[in-house]
């Protein structure tokens, strides 16, 4: 019943920054672990990172570690993905998702998540 809507995507030059938002409606997700995925043209969807229900624990894919930061504001039912030092290979549609359980945020497979947003396009020019 929860619905997720991503926003904040756009075109940015390599080395630039962008912040994506994932807003939930239908019910609060304050008790849910949340994750970000991305899918580049012609490639499979890949895990980007996840955040625990309280925001105290995060986990990132090696490809984005040190450059991307996930935060959340449960009072606004919103999760954020702050991206810095963007590279052309970061170009993809970015998706927000709700994890099926409140444990093990380091599990990266799509099957661990049961609600998905529509995605927002991020394009990084070289």
């Amino acid at each position: 019943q929860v619905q997720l809507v991503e926003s904040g995507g756009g075109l940015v030059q390599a080395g630039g920054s962008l912040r994506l938002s994932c807003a939930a409606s239908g019910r609060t997700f304050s008790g849910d672990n949340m994750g970000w995925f991305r899918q580049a043209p012609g490639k499979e969807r890949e895990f980007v990172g996840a955040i625990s229900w309280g925001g105290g624990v995060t986990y990132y894919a090696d490809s984005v570690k040190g450059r991307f930061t996930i935060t959340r504001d449960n009072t606004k039912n919103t999760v954020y993905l702050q991206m810095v030092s963007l590279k052309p290979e970061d170009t993809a549609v970015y998706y927000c998702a709700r994890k099926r359980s409140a444990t093990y945020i380091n599990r990266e497979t799509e099957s661990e998540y049961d609600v998905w947003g529509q995605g927002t396009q991020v394009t990084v020019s070289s």
Side-chain angles (χ1 to χ4, degrees), residues 68-109:
F68 290 12
T69 303
I70 302 173
T71 57
R72 67 191 299 167
D73 185 346
N74 288 338
T75 67
K76 295 181 170 62
N77 287 330
T78 302
V79 176
Y80 304 95
L81 178 64
Q82 178 67 54
M83 305 180 292
V84 301
S85 301
L86 283 163
K87 306 174 181 179
E89 52 262 44
D90 295 319
T91 295
V93 177
Y94 283 72
Y95 298 90
C96 178
R98 184 187 73 178
K99 198 172 187 298
R100 292 181 180 272
S101 74
T103 59
Y104 303 112
I105 65 168
N106 61 337
R107 293 181 175 178
E108 302 179 3
T109 61

Side-chain angles (χ1 to χ4, degrees), residues 13-124:
Q13 293 183 351
S17 302
L18 208 59
R19 189 180 77 160
L20 307 183
S21 298
C22 171
S25 63
R27 77 167 185 87
T28 178
F29 60 28
S30 60
D32 297 324
N33 294 343
M34 300 292 295
W36 286 93
F37 289 75
R38 67 185 183 184
Q39 186 168 24
K43 294 187 176 182
E44 297 293 319
R45 194 175 310 187
E46 67 173 338
F47 175 81
V48 173
I51 188 167
S52 62
W53 66 268
V57 181
T58 53
Y59 174 75
Y60 302 95
D62 288 341
S63 60
V64 305
K65 193 176 300 180
R67 299 188 298 117
F68 290 12
T69 303
I70 302 173
T71 57
R72 67 191 299 167
D73 185 346
N74 288 338
T75 67
K76 295 181 170 62
N77 287 330
T78 302
V79 176
Y80 304 95
L81 178 64
Q82 178 67 54
M83 305 180 292
V84 301
S85 301
L86 283 163
K87 306 174 181 179
E89 52 262 44
D90 295 319
T91 295
V93 177
Y94 283 72
Y95 298 90
C96 178
R98 184 187 73 178
K99 198 172 187 298
R100 292 181 180 272
S101 74
T103 59
Y104 303 112
I105 65 168
N106 61 337
R107 293 181 175 178
E108 302 179 3
T109 61
E110 294 180 39
S111 62
E112 293 287 321
Y113 294 82
D114 62 357
V115 180
W116 297 79
Q118 296 298 308
T120 185
Q121 176 71 48
V122 172
T123 302
V124 184

